[in-house]
Amino acid sequence: MNIIIIGGGAAGMMCAARLISKENKVILFDHNEKLGKKLFITGKGRGNLTNSADREEFLKNVVSNPKFMYSSFNAFDNVETESYFNTLGLKTKTERGGRVFPLSDHAYEISDVLKNAMKKNNIEVKLNEGIKDLIIAESKIQGVISDKGKKYTADRVVVATGGRSYPQTGSTGDGYTFAKKAGLKITEISPSLVPFNADLNICKKLQGLSLKNVNVSVTLESGKKLYEEFGEMLFTHFGVSGPVILTASAKLDRKYLNEKLFLHIDLKPALDNETLDKRLINIFKENHNKQYKNSINSLFPSKLIPLIIELSGIDPEKECNRISHEERRKLLNLIKDLKISLKGFRGFEEAIITKGGVSVKEINPKSMESKKIKGLYFIGEIIDVDALTGGFNLQLAWSTAAAAAKSILGNTEE
C-alpha cells in the first residue's frame, strides 16, 4: 500500500512514526527545509508535550467539538502519549497545571525522537517539496501532485498541514484548499490563543506590566458578560496578552467580534467592596498629611500608580485627609473595574492555534477518514477542534494522528 502524508509537523510525524508495517511504502512531504518547525516553539521552546489532567478534565479544556475527540482520545490519550514518547527515549516531567515537558526543557527533542522512529520505519521524507493538488476519482483518493509537478500515486493520503497560525513556520492553509477540492465543508477560521489589540492610551502606559491574581471579564457595550477568568495577564505596546487573555480569545464567540467589546479588570478580587473601602479609609488615615500621589504605593505595582491617579480624577497633590467620600468611592470602583476598550484579535502570525477548519461532520471520529472520499484522512490542527493552552492542543494532534495510523493499518474495529 502506498501512503502519503502531507505535512511534517506534530500530527504528520506522529502518524508516520506509528505506521509500522514492512508492506507499506510511506512518503512524508513538507515544503519546509526541516520537519517540526512549529514544534520547536511550543511551550515557549520547551515543548509542552501534553497535559496530565484526567479524561473528564482534559476534555473540558477542548473548546471546539470535544465530543468529536472521544474515540481518538480514548484510544490514544495523554497517559499513553507520555508512555509512548518515553519508549522512544524522551524523558518527561510534569509541572504546575499538569503540563508535561521533556526533562531537558528542549522542544526539539520531541521532533528528534519522532524522526528517529520514522527512520526505523523506513519512512521516506521529502523536504522542500510541497503538495499542490490531490488526485481524486470516483470518490476515492488516487494520489497527489507536488509543487514540482510530479505525480505520486497513493492508496491513502493523510492531510496534516496544520492551520493558519504562525505562517512563518510554514502553515499556509493549503489543507483547506485540499478539503474544499474533496467537497468537504470548512468552518470559518480565525486566530485563537492570540492577544488582543486594545486602547493604546492605557496599554502603552502599562507596557511590560504583568498582573497576577486578577479577575478579568469581557463584556459587550450593553454590559452582557461574555467571558470571565482569574489569573495572570500582560500589557503590551499594542494591547493585552497573557494566559487569561489568550483563553478569552479561545472561548469568545466569534459572532461578537464585530461589536464593541470591553475588558474589565478587578485589581483586587480577593477584597469585596466593603473590605476594600475600609482599607482605603485606613490608608488615607495613616497618610492623612501626605499627598494622594504618595499614599497608594502599597496597593499597586509602581508602573500602575500614575494611571490609577490619572483615571481616579483625584488631584495628585491633594492631601489624603481632604479626599472626599465620592472621590474614594470612584477610586474603589476603578480598582474593582479597570475598564479597557478592546479592538479585536491580533493576526494569525501571533496566534498559537487556528480556530475552525474541516468540519467534524465530514470526518469519521474513529479513523479521521473523510466520509466522502475513501482513503483521504485529516489530522491535527486542520480539523475544527481546538483547546486551551497547557499541552491540550498537541494532544489533539497526537490522538488524531494515532487514530489515522491505526485505521490505515487496518486495526480499527468496525
Side-chain angles (χ1 to χ4, degrees):
M1 183 161 52
N2 292 333
I3 303 163
I4 286 174
I5 299 172
I6 310 172
M13 286 196 289
M14 171 62 87
C15 185
R18 293 183 69 80
L19 285 171
I20 305 168
S21 173
K22 291 178 181 178
E23 295 152 23
N24 299 320
K25 182 185 179 183
V26 184
I27 308 175
L28 185 149
F29 289 85
D30 196 290
H31 57 212
N32 286 313
E33 74 286 356
K34 63 181 178 181
L35 298 177
K37 283 188 83 170
K38 194 174 177 184
L39 259 176
F40 279 71
I41 57 175
T42 59
K44 296 180 180 177
R46 296 176 58 216
N48 192 177
L49 184 72
T50 187
N51 193 287
S52 64
D54 61 35
R55 179 183 181 276
E56 186 178 347
E57 187 61 30
F58 195 101
L59 291 169
K60 279 182 185 176
N61 282 273
V62 179
V63 179
S64 304
N65 301 310
K67 288 183 179 178
F68 175 80
M69 289 302 303
Y70 285 5
S71 293
S72 60
F73 183 73
N74 286 344
F76 192 77
D77 63 10
N78 46 353
V79 175
E80 189 155 352
T81 294
E82 188 172 6
S83 174
Y84 174 71
F85 276 99
N86 290 160
T87 62
L88 294 183
L90 183 74
K91 294 179 179 178
T92 51
K93 60 180 177 180
T94 304
E95 296 187 359
R96 179 178 57 86
R99 290 169 168 82
V100 179
F101 293 92
L103 189 62
S104 66
D105 283 329
H106 294 310
Y108 67 79
E109 285 200 354
I110 301 173
S111 291
D112 285 352
V113 296
L114 287 173
K115 283 188 274 191
N116 288 338
M118 288 163 56
K119 194 173 180 180
K120 286 181 182 177
N121 291 356
N122 297 312
I123 307 296
E124 184 180 351
V125 176
K126 288 186 178 288
L127 297 174
N128 298 305
E129 186 171 3
I131 299 302
K132 70 174 184 179
D133 208 355
L134 303 180
I135 303 170
I136 298 169
E138 298 177 352
S139 300
K140 188 177 186 302
I141 196 73
Q142 304 289 328
V144 300
I145 302 172
S146 82
D147 55 15
K148 294 183 178 179
K150 295 180 181 178
K151 289 185 179 181
Y152 296 87
T153 59
D155 305 289
R156 305 285 187 272
V157 171
V158 182
V159 181
T161 51
R164 284 280 307 281
S165 58
Y166 288 137
Q168 63 271 31
T169 65
S171 299
T172 59
D174 292 349
Y176 305 127
T177 305
F178 301 149
K180 285 176 184 174
K181 179 181 173 64
L184 276 61
K185 182 187 173 186
I186 309 293
T187 63
E188 183 181 358
I189 64 166
S190 62
S192 191
L193 297 179
V194 66
F196 283 83
N197 291 311
D199 183 355
L200 294 182
N201 290 325
I202 291 178
C203 296
K204 272 199 167 183
K205 293 170 183 174
L206 301 178
Q207 181 179 341
L209 174 65
S210 177
L211 294 178
K212 295 181 179 179
N213 303 319
V214 292
N215 200 77
V216 305
S217 58
V218 176
T219 71
L220 295 172
E221 194 170 20
S222 65
K224 180 182 178 180
K225 192 178 291 183
L226 306 177
Y227 166 81
E228 185 173 14
E229 189 64 82
F230 174 85
E232 185 176 345
M233 63 166 291
L234 172 71
F235 291 95
T236 71
H237 66 286
F238 57 75
V240 287
S241 187
V244 295
I245 301 299
L246 298 184
T247 300
S249 76
K251 290 189 172 182
L252 203 62
D253 193 321
R254 268 47 184 170
K255 70 183 180 183
Y256 296 116
L257 287 183
N258 293 323
E259 299 193 34
K260 280 189 177 179
L261 297 176
F262 294 90
L263 178 70
H264 302 261
I265 308 170
D266 183 347
L267 296 166
K268 298 291 178 185
L271 304 177
D272 60 24
N273 284 18
E274 185 180 351
T275 306
L276 179 57
D277 193 37
K278 285 179 181 177
R279 186 167 175 185
L280 290 175
I281 291 169
N282 288 336
I283 285 172
F284 292 151
K285 273 184 180 178
E286 290 168 6
N287 298 279
H288 62 283
N289 289 326
K290 280 188 179 180
Q291 294 173 321
Y292 166 56
K293 67 181 181 182
N294 297 322
S295 68
I296 56 174
N297 295 352
S298 63
L299 278 174
F300 312 105
S302 58
K303 198 159 194 171
L304 187 56
I305 292 171
L307 182 72
I308 292 292
I309 291 170
E310 177 190 338
L311 296 179
S312 71
I314 303 172
D315 181 355
E317 310 295 327
K318 197 171 193 177
E319 291 179 351
C320 290
N321 58 18
R322 294 176 50 239
I323 293 174
S324 69
H325 172 75
E326 282 83 20
E327 287 174 322
R328 192 180 75 245
R329 292 300 298 180
K330 188 177 178 183
L331 174 61
L332 184 149
N333 291 335
L334 176 63
I335 295 170
K336 296 296 287 181
D337 184 13
L338 175 58
K339 186 178 177 182
I340 301 171
S341 175
L342 296 175
K343 310 291 185 184
F345 294 152
R346 301 289 283 176
F348 280 108
E349 64 278 0
E350 294 179 47
I352 295 174
I353 59 164
T354 303
K355 182 180 281 289
V358 179
S359 170
V360 296
K361 294 176 183 177
E362 305 278 7
I363 302 169
N364 182 325
K366 207 170 193 178
S367 65
M368 300 300 134
E369 187 175 14
S370 163
K371 292 178 180 178
K372 290 180 178 173
I373 307 298
K374 185 170 175 56
L376 180 61
Y377 297 76
F378 292 87
I379 61 174
E381 194 179 340
I382 192 172
I383 303 171
D384 182 15
V385 182
D386 62 271
L388 302 181
T389 56
F392 300 101
N393 283 292
L394 262 186
Q395 183 60 52
L396 301 185
W398 308 138
S399 293
T400 56
K406 184 178 180 183
S407 173
I408 289 167
L409 293 174
N411 296 327
T412 304
E413 295 175 13
E414 295 298 335

